[in-house]
Each structure stands twice: as structure tokens, then as C-alpha cells.
Amino acid sequence: MKKQTIFLASSSELKDDRDQFEIYIGRKNKQLFEKGIFFELILWEDFLDAMSQTRLQDEYNKAISECDIFIMLFFTKVGKYTEEEFDKAFSRFKATSKPKVFTYFKNAPVLTGNLNEDIISLLQFKNKLFQLGHYITTYTSIDDLKFQFDQQLDKLTSDGFIEFEKDVTNQKISTGPCENMEFTDSTVNDVFSRLCKLHSELRIEFLPAEILLPELDALFNRKTFRFEKLRNCPEQRWADRLDSGYQTLRLLECYARNVREKAADKFPLYQKLLREADGYCMQMGTLLFEPSVDYNEIESHIGKSTFKEHLSEQIKFEKGQSKKPIIPDDINDPIQQHCDEAISLMDQIMKKS
């Protein structure tokens, strides 16, 4: 699988166009996977201030210098940093013929009452592009933008800038790091199946963070984690909770390397998440069963129908008036604290910069 990196920048006023362009690239990837091409789209929103030891703009500029295609969208203004990003890309192109630089000016109605001195920056930048001999392109809508960029992709392909892999249909199709595993839990298996399908369709070993992380986040949208605390479980089905907990942990462990490769800034949080999910399962096995569950006995049965057969007897607690179990603090708290911390860490991982 050959990867082409696209850096997309624009002023904040065109956020909707950026979002729609991101969706368009995602659909484009599904069309091109059979030809062995994957477009990785980089947006300025993807960066974290905490990641930079220097200026955050320096992080943008570094990404720009390493991308294959650079796209800028303009409407009524050009910011100082926006112009700096263009200068970085254009000077790099002049020196190395990469990245290919595309500038698109939106030609759409605007309320004159909303205009201010920022419009001068736009006019000055247009004149600058003219002096540089850079071709200016206008677009009237997001559909027009997608159509024009499609034409440019065709030209880049015919010029040999974008090369399709040969005999890609004969290559072994990876279904991800868990391809030989099985999961009996319905939620875990649904996520696992979607991830395998994505690996197969995109023909890549490591899924992009924007694709992988929402799938992993879906593992926590269930009673075992987000939707039902231990003391709110009237059925006291500890075996089911432990079973789904360990299967969730196993799938998360499988994708640790993928997270490290594609979301390095989030990997420290991900490592903590794995520890908390493991602690949650270990505490359940220790405190909700008599005798405590022996991990060595269940390890080889995680994800299989034989898992529950190797568990000890579940402890049943007295019920209160609401039929919810009355669980002592010394049992409930060590379990619930690990669960709550795992959820908090997943929320932090999903938080966009």
C-alpha cells in the first residue's frame, strides 16, 4: 500500500468546507484501495499544543515540508500563519518538486457588512501568487472543489506523481493484528469485525488514528463500562462482566502497536488505559468470585465459549429496596475506580485538539 500525504489548511471561516473535504478523502480511499493507494489527510486541528517544544506553527511547517500534496482554501482573508504555511510549501516545491501546491479561492456570496480590513490581506496574497506565477483556482461550492481536485488527481496520476501498486490484487490481504483470534462478546466482536474489514479494504497494516480510535471507543459504550456501575447491576452477572472486560482488554492490547505508530501523542494515555482495564478485570476476578479467579486458568479461554466454565463461584450480595446489590466499599471501590479511570482515559484519548 502506497501512502500519499495531503496537508489541508484554511482559515477558520471555511471549517465546514474542510470537514466535507475530509469526508471526501475518506470516500476516495475506499475507491482506491484496490489500486494500492491511500491518502492520509492532515488537518491543522490534528496537532496538540502540548506536542510542541517550540512554536505550534513549527509543527505545522514540519508536516508541510514532509507532505506530498499541499492544499490551501481561502475566502475573505489570509492570516499571517496561513501565508507562512504557503511560503513553506512553495519554497519546498521549488527546491524539490514536492509538495504539489494547490490554492483554491472560494467564490461565493458574502455580506459586505461582515467584511473588514482582513479583505486587504486576501487581495495582497492574490497579487503575491500572481507575481510568483502560481495558478489561482476558484471554487463555488464543496462539490465544485471536489470535482476540480478529482481532475488534479487524474493529472497527477497521468504524470506519474501518483503511482498505483502493481498486482495489488494478488497480495495477501491483512485483516489486522487480531485476524486469528475469536471474540464471543457481541460488542467486542462487532468492533473486531469492523476493524478487520477496514484492514482488508484499505490494505494497510496500521489504521489511521481517525479511523481506529472511534472504533476502540465504541468498546466502552456498554453496561460493563460507561452505562452501568457495579452497584447498579441488579442481575449480579459478574461472569458476563468479567468475560466482556477481558475480551475488551485483549482487543485493546492487539492495537497498542497501531496506536503507537499512528497516534504517538496519545500512546502514553493508551498505555495507562491498558493498565486500568487490566486492573478492572483483575479486581473483579479477585473480589467477585470465591475463590479468586486464577488468571493462568482462564488466559487461554479469553474470547472463547469455554471462558465461563473455568471461573470460580460468583459471590451474590444482598439486595436493597431497588433490587440493586449492596456491595461493601472494600469490594466495590477497588473495582469501580479502575473502571472509572479507564473510561476517563478513553475520553481523553478521543478528545480532539
Side-chain angles (χ1 to χ4, degrees):
M1 175 65 63
K2 293 185 178 181
K3 182 177 75 172
Q4 295 279 332
T5 304
I6 301 175
F7 190 104
L8 175 65
S10 76
S11 58
S12 57
E13 63 185 339
L14 291 177
K15 184 180 184 307
D16 288 343
D17 287 4
R18 284 201 311 276
D19 291 343
Q20 288 300 313
F21 195 83
E22 184 176 14
I23 294 171
Y24 155 75
I25 291 296
R27 291 173 177 167
K28 201 72 180 173
N29 279 331
K30 290 183 178 180
Q31 297 171 5
L32 294 175
F33 79 88
E34 290 184 350
K35 297 181 179 180
I37 288 290
F38 175 75
F39 290 121
E40 180 180 16
L41 182 65
I42 299 176
L43 305 173
W44 63 265
E45 293 98 330
D46 294 334
F47 291 86
L48 285 171
D49 291 58
M51 282 290 292
S52 178
Q53 298 300 316
T54 56
R55 295 189 315 153
L56 182 59
Q57 190 64 34
D58 291 340
E59 297 293 335
Y60 301 155
N61 292 343
K62 181 176 182 295
I64 290 168
S65 67
E66 296 173 351
C67 70
D68 299 295
I69 298 171
F70 178 81
I71 303 172
M72 299 208 77
L73 308 180
F74 303 94
F75 189 26
T76 66
K77 61 184 177 181
V78 178
K80 177 180 71 173
Y81 293 128
T82 304
E83 186 167 353
E84 182 177 334
E85 289 162 5
F86 171 83
D87 290 342
K88 182 70 176 179
F90 193 73
S91 62
R92 183 76 176 176
F93 169 75
K94 297 292 285 185
T96 67
S97 297
K98 187 184 285 190
K100 298 295 185 182
V101 179
F102 299 96
T103 53
Y104 293 95
F105 289 82
K106 188 167 188 177
N107 187 10
V110 61
L111 296 175
T112 56
N114 293 335
L115 296 176
N116 54 36
E117 63 274 9
D118 286 340
I119 194 68
I120 298 174
S121 66
L122 178 69
L123 299 175
Q124 290 176 337
F125 189 69
K126 279 189 173 182
N127 183 60
K128 176 178 179 176
L129 294 185
F130 177 78
Q131 296 297 325
L132 290 172
H134 179 73
Y135 184 71
I136 295 176
T137 305
T138 61
Y139 72 101
T140 57
S141 65
I142 186 62
D143 288 334
D144 184 30
L145 174 63
K146 290 187 289 186
F147 173 75
Q148 293 196 54
F149 190 66
D150 263 337
Q151 291 183 315
Q152 293 300 326
L153 288 179
D154 290 341
K155 291 180 181 178
L156 292 176
T157 300
S158 61
D159 291 343
F161 184 82
I162 296 177
E163 296 181 357
F164 297 135
E165 285 191 356
K166 298 178 180 179
D167 301 324
V168 68
T169 54
N170 295 324
Q171 297 176 6
K172 182 182 182 298
I173 301 175
S174 170
T175 53
C178 307
E179 58 184 345
N180 295 321
M181 294 185 180
E182 57 181 296
F183 297 96
T184 57
D185 180 88
S186 59
T187 299
V188 178
N189 189 60
D190 284 346
V191 173
F192 164 67
S193 298
R194 288 196 298 271
L195 290 172
C196 287
K197 183 178 180 182
L198 286 166
H199 281 289
S200 178
E201 289 181 346
L202 297 176
R203 295 178 181 265
I204 50 177
E205 180 182 3
F206 299 123
L207 295 173
E210 63 271 19
I211 293 176
L212 173 64
L213 295 179
E215 293 294 339
L216 297 181
D217 180 62
L219 292 169
F220 293 84
N221 290 332
R222 55 184 311 164
K223 289 183 177 180
T224 307
F225 287 96
R226 283 193 173 109
F227 302 151
E228 185 179 76
K229 292 186 179 292
L230 202 66
R231 281 177 168 155
N232 292 333
C233 182
E235 300 92 352
Q236 301 191 47
R237 292 162 55 183
W238 313 136
D240 288 342
R241 190 171 284 246
L242 184 64
D243 190 13
S244 61
Y246 266 122
Q247 291 190 51
T248 297
L249 175 60
R250 178 148 290 182
L251 188 57
L252 290 171
E253 288 173 336
C254 284
Y255 279 91
R257 187 182 173 203
N258 197 145
V259 174
R260 185 185 67 193
E261 293 291 330
K262 294 298 183 179
D265 58 311
K266 299 180 184 292
F267 188 60
L269 287 174
Y270 195 81
Q271 289 179 302
K272 292 180 182 178
L273 169 64
L274 293 178
R275 290 196 292 270
E276 293 300 331
D278 181 59
Y280 176 47
C281 294
M282 293 295 289
Q283 291 289 359
M284 281 196 292
T286 300
L287 301 174
L288 298 178
F289 297 83
E290 183 62 44
S292 297
V293 173
D294 184 348
Y295 181 75
N296 293 323
E297 288 288 325
I298 64 169
E299 181 180 13
S300 61
H301 298 277
I302 294 173
K304 300 178 182 178
S305 58
T306 54
F307 179 82
K308 294 178 184 178
E309 298 173 11
H310 293 78
L311 298 179
S312 310
E313 189 70 25
Q314 301 179 80
I315 296 175
K316 291 294 183 180
F317 301 95
E318 291 185 13
K319 296 182 178 180
Q321 292 182 347
S322 61
K323 296 184 180 181
K324 295 177 181 178
I326 303 174
I327 306 175
D329 290 346
D330 61 344
I331 293 178
N332 177 81
D333 293 354
I335 298 171
Q336 193 61 52
Q337 286 170 6
H338 282 294
C339 180
D340 292 344
E341 185 60 25
I343 295 169
S344 175
L345 287 163
M346 191 70 240
D347 291 342
Q348 292 177 59
I349 289 171
M350 289 302 299
K351 198 173 192 180
K352 202 166 186 179
S353 58

